[in-house]
Amino acid sequence: MAELTGLERALKYLRMEQPDKIPIWHQSADLSRKFVGCRWPEFVKDPKKIAQGHIEYVRRFKPDMSGIGTHMWWPVEALGLKFQVLDWIVQPAPYPARKRPNPEIYKRIEYRDPWSTESAKIMKEACHIYTEAVGGEILCRQGWYGPPGMLGMLVGVPEVMRDILIFPEVVFKTLREVMVDYTADFITGCVEAMEPNITNICWAMSQYDWDMCPKEWWDVMAETDIACFTKVKQNIKKKTGKDVPITTHICAPNPALDYIVEKFGHLINEIQYWGPMCPYSLEQAVKNFGDKIPIMTGIDHTRTLLMGTPEEVDKMVKDAIDTARGKCSFALGPGCDIAADTPEANLLALVEARGKYGTYV
Amino acid sequence: MSSTRQKEEYLEEIREACLKFNFFDAEDAVEKALGANVPSAQIRDCFTRIMSDACKKWETREYCLPHLYALTSINEAIHGLLEPPAEIKGKVIIATMGSMHYFGKQLVKCLLMNDGFELYDLGETVLPLMVIEKVKEVKPDIICLSALVAVCLPLQKEVEVLLEKEGLRDRVKLLVGGISTSQRWADEMKADGWAQDAVGAVREVNRLVKEMKRRKERWQS
């Protein structure tokens, strides 16, 4: 088989066909920012620098799938979230419900155009520059949260979870009546920004987690996620005529993977989760649903990749490949964005190890 | 003064509100108990048991993070209503380094407050110099630093470096935690202790405080 491009490799993996090599996903807003040599306040305001940093990242570390991002807060800025852009991190201003639960906060949330803010326009432009440059070579894969995650960004994740315990109907009403439409319009815009390389819709589903959320809430949240991604899928189909696959991002410590497969299996085209740091082993995942859906995991970005040696990275990759190779459609991926201090040698060791152990031909 | 039986009833009311995670009812119940002269120490003990049970339920998966966070919110809110404990076990500075991921820090803070420590909470998005300034000001026994996101780990390390540089390292014990941390990380950055979870952090703080006291006693003898 001739050497495939990263994009071809990734699409074969998503179709559960055998590519030439096991594909790899990773990305890093922090390292990308470092490549263009600026601090966060400058970076977040400049679409060219955001794009340039991420293009450099792709060229240097050669992932088959990667994304472009800055921080988690701009997607809900239109709903009134204020955030602070510090030199080393961007984060929200203290949440109003931090100390005391307050149902009025949820009642005041109203639909706004998610693309009306300056940050959203900057990101849309950055995304467009990026996908024009690398979208023909790799699968652009930027995860966005569904309605529950977006509400968490806006009001505070622990606060929303606490408040569901105290006044569930108020929180769920806001989710259904405001956040579904807001999130659908937001994600549609994000996917459209990938034109002409619209390859997937990547959905973060981290709330389906045994530690994060009581099981009895999952169905209510799933209802809003399904309503939202049905809308996004329809929007994209109308625009492109294509049935674009839904990839996932489950950056949760103890994900309810069986529930996700059962509830969303007919809608999603991949399970990507935070192994080897979570109790759901790759072996178990392969056994339980490896015949049904592609699986991406295997890279520990918080310990081995960040603090380990290239030899340890090599072993981590080998272990994952030994477990999954030939038993499911498999890709290597971490649980989240790669941290700023991750040694370049470790990221390069990742590609090298994949070359050693993950080649099919 | 309320009778023992009446006191138990007030405490039971607090427990019931907490078990329903009802912030407002729990706060009312504490105010009512204080109004009836139930001593702050007994209310604090009541919260120690509530939080300790909650942590056990967390371990057995009966509770998730929202349950713990709801109880932490209640515990923190009522702490301001109580009189400080008669005897302080030690002074602790606590902070979430670099980011706003405060949940773990809040839980450790509540458990330590209930356990009789004097807490200085620097909050979130804390930078190393802010910790050093506070160390000079309050002369703590222990510094507890949390970091959830890996990008903030170097900030924990920088605190250790600055403590050394300022000649403060021998006077204080440094404990680190947070999901991105590990024993290996704690060893590498020369922390005195590491904890995987909140209960472990309280155990470690108690161990480190005892260790410091023993050392002081040895010096004095």
Side-chain angles (χ1 to χ4, degrees):
Chain A
M1 189 189 292
E3 169 110 3
L4 301 177
T5 64
L7 176 61
E8 290 165 338
R9 194 170 290 138
L11 289 174
K12 270 190 173 276
Y13 147 75
L14 287 178
R15 289 194 300 261
M16 299 187 80
E17 294 165 9
Q18 186 175 287
D20 58 341
K21 293 172 192 169
I22 287 172
I24 303 176
W25 163 69
H26 60 80
Q27 62 191 68
S28 172
D30 263 305
L31 284 170
S32 301
R33 176 179 62 82
K34 282 188 172 177
F35 290 151
V36 285
C38 62
R39 295 180 175 219
W40 279 109
E42 190 189 338
F43 192 62
V44 297
K45 288 193 180 129
D46 189 336
K48 289 192 181 72
K49 282 193 174 154
I50 298 169
Q52 193 192 329
H54 286 84
I55 294 164
E56 173 65 22
Y57 184 91
V58 169
R59 303 268 186 259
R60 202 177 289 209
F61 300 121
K62 303 187 179 5
D64 304 297
M65 304 173 237
S66 198
I68 175 166
T70 49
H71 57 92
M72 293 158 78
W73 319 110
W74 68 268
V76 284
E77 192 183 15
L79 293 175
L81 182 84
K82 304 268 181 263
F83 52 82
Q84 309 161 297
V85 186
L86 306 170
D87 280 352
W88 71 100
I89 203 165
V90 184
Q91 59 177 13
Y95 294 115
R98 171 72 190 279
K99 299 279 180 194
R100 296 187 70 76
N102 180 3
E104 293 307 313
I105 286 171
Y106 297 90
K107 291 178 188 165
R108 284 197 294 264
I109 299 170
E110 285 178 3
Y111 178 87
R112 298 272 186 276
D113 173 8
W115 294 98
S116 59
T117 66
E118 198 50 34
S119 308
K121 286 171 190 148
I122 288 168
M123 275 311 293
K124 203 168 198 171
E125 192 186 336
C127 196
H128 193 68
I129 300 169
Y130 173 77
T131 49
E132 273 215 320
V134 298
E137 303 160 30
I138 64 160
L139 184 132
C140 296
R141 188 178 190 283
Q142 179 63 39
W144 304 288
Y145 285 101
M150 291 286 254
L151 188 62
M153 296 297 122
L154 179 63
V155 182
V157 173
E159 286 74 11
V160 169
M161 295 192 299
R162 174 199 65 198
D163 295 348
I164 293 177
L165 282 171
I166 306 173
F167 33 81
E169 283 317 313
V170 178
V171 181
F172 289 141
K173 189 169 187 275
T174 305
L175 260 182
R176 290 187 189 106
E177 293 182 3
V178 184
M179 298 311 294
V180 169
D181 286 339
Y182 181 86
T183 309
D185 290 350
F186 169 75
I187 296 180
T188 301
C190 288
V191 179
E192 282 174 351
M194 290 177 175
E195 277 191 295
N197 298 296
I198 296 177
T199 52
N200 71 122
I201 300 161
C202 184
W203 211 275
M205 305 173 85
S206 310
Q207 71 270 25
Y208 305 104
D209 178 278
W210 292 101
D211 299 345
M212 296 283 285
C213 241
K215 195 173 183 298
E216 55 269 28
W217 300 353
W218 294 351
D219 282 347
V220 185
M221 291 189 174
E223 202 187 290
T224 65
D225 264 326
I226 290 170
C228 191
F229 59 55
T230 305
K231 275 188 186 191
V232 177
K233 259 198 128 157
Q234 282 166 353
N235 291 345
I236 301 303
K237 186 153 194 182
K238 211 160 136 188
K239 183 147 193 93
T240 64
K242 286 193 288 186
D243 194 18
V244 178
I246 296 183
T247 53
T248 64
H249 176 59
I250 306 157
C251 53
N254 195 0
L257 298 184
D258 296 315
Y259 176 84
I260 293 172
V261 172
E262 186 198 320
K263 195 81 187 176
F264 302 97
H266 60 296
L267 292 161
I268 58 177
N269 300 69
E270 175 203 51
I271 286 281
Q272 185 270 319
Y273 75 102
W274 188 16
M277 287 291 287
C278 82
Y280 206 112
S281 71
L282 174 55
E283 201 171 12
Q284 196 184 351
V286 169
K287 190 176 154 207
N288 290 359
F289 45 79
D291 57 334
K292 298 187 192 82
I293 195 161
I295 299 170
M296 181 200 288
T297 186
I299 299 177
D300 166 19
H301 65 290
T302 58
R303 297 191 188 170
T304 311
L305 209 55
L306 180 64
M307 290 178 258
T309 60
E311 291 73 29
E312 286 168 320
V313 172
D314 185 279
K315 186 183 178 309
M316 172 179 69
V317 170
K318 184 179 184 306
D319 288 349
I321 292 176
D322 283 349
T323 308
R325 188 188 161 124
K327 295 173 197 146
C328 68
S329 190
F330 181 65
L332 288 159
C336 201
D337 240 39
I338 303 297
D341 286 353
T342 303
E344 288 201 15
N346 285 356
L347 286 164
L348 295 171
L350 195 61
V351 190
E352 202 172 310
R354 184 272 305 266
K356 272 201 291 193
Y357 313 114
T359 304
Y360 286 111
V361 283
Chain B
M1 174 68 81
S2 315
S3 68
T4 309
R5 190 172 159 189
Q6 278 171 328
K7 275 185 207 163
E8 263 315 308
E9 280 169 10
Y10 284 118
L11 295 173
E12 188 51 37
E13 206 178 317
I14 294 172
R15 267 194 295 271
E16 271 179 26
C18 286
L19 288 176
K20 289 179 186 157
F21 309 103
N22 196 317
F23 182 97
F24 306 108
D25 286 356
E27 208 175 35
D28 287 348
V30 169
E31 278 174 357
K32 230 163 92 181
L34 287 169
N37 293 324
V38 177
S40 288
Q42 287 193 10
I43 298 174
R44 196 174 291 108
D45 285 348
C46 174
F47 269 92
T48 299
R49 283 192 296 274
I50 291 167
M51 295 304 285
S52 159
D53 286 349
C55 289
K56 279 182 198 146
K57 286 179 179 173
W58 157 259
E59 278 168 21
T60 57
R61 297 256 176 90
E62 195 179 328
Y63 279 1
C64 306
L65 286 175
H67 303 114
L68 290 186
Y69 189 67
L71 292 175
T72 303
S73 289
I74 297 169
N75 197 159
E76 196 181 14
I78 65 100
H79 190 77
L81 305 171
L82 305 180
E83 280 173 24
E87 199 182 326
I88 300 292
K89 276 186 169 180
K91 286 184 189 176
V92 179
I93 288 179
I94 193 163
T96 302
M97 300 307 292
S99 79
M100 46 69 73
H101 296 93
Y102 46 76
F103 175 67
K105 186 259 298 172
Q106 289 297 101
L107 183 56
V108 174
K109 176 183 159 183
C110 284
L111 296 180
L112 287 173
M113 284 189 317
N114 296 339
D115 199 26
F117 286 92
E118 190 176 332
L119 265 291
Y120 295 87
D121 181 5
L122 296 186
E124 300 81 42
T125 325
V126 174
L127 291 180
L129 273 177
M130 294 157 76
V131 180
I132 302 303
E133 288 307 310
K134 202 68 184 173
V135 170
K136 288 179 184 168
E137 184 194 326
V138 305
K139 300 181 177 56
D141 301 294
I142 310 281
I143 304 170
C144 294
L145 303 178
S146 157
L148 184 129
V149 283
V151 66
C152 296
L153 290 180
L155 297 173
Q156 289 187 336
K157 192 173 182 172
E158 208 180 321
V159 171
E160 202 282 332
V161 172
L162 285 174
L163 285 171
E164 192 70 57
K165 199 170 151 192
E166 297 277 342
L168 298 164
R169 189 65 186 91
D170 292 341
R171 299 183 203 173
V172 69
K173 294 285 183 188
L174 184 58
L175 180 75
V176 293
I179 202 163
S180 291
T181 63
S182 58
Q183 185 63 58
R184 178 175 168 175
W185 167 248
D187 294 343
E188 192 183 312
M189 63 155 284
K190 298 178 192 158
D192 301 297
W194 169 74
Q196 192 168 15
D197 54 31
V199 174
V202 176
R203 215 170 22 237
E204 274 297 278
V205 168
N206 276 288
R207 179 185 71 80
L208 291 170
V209 164
K210 275 184 197 153
E211 198 180 301
M212 287 183 90
K213 277 190 182 150
R214 272 201 303 272
R215 199 199 298 175
K216 264 187 203 163
E217 280 163 12
R218 271 205 304 273
W219 282 347
Q220 281 160 2
S221 65

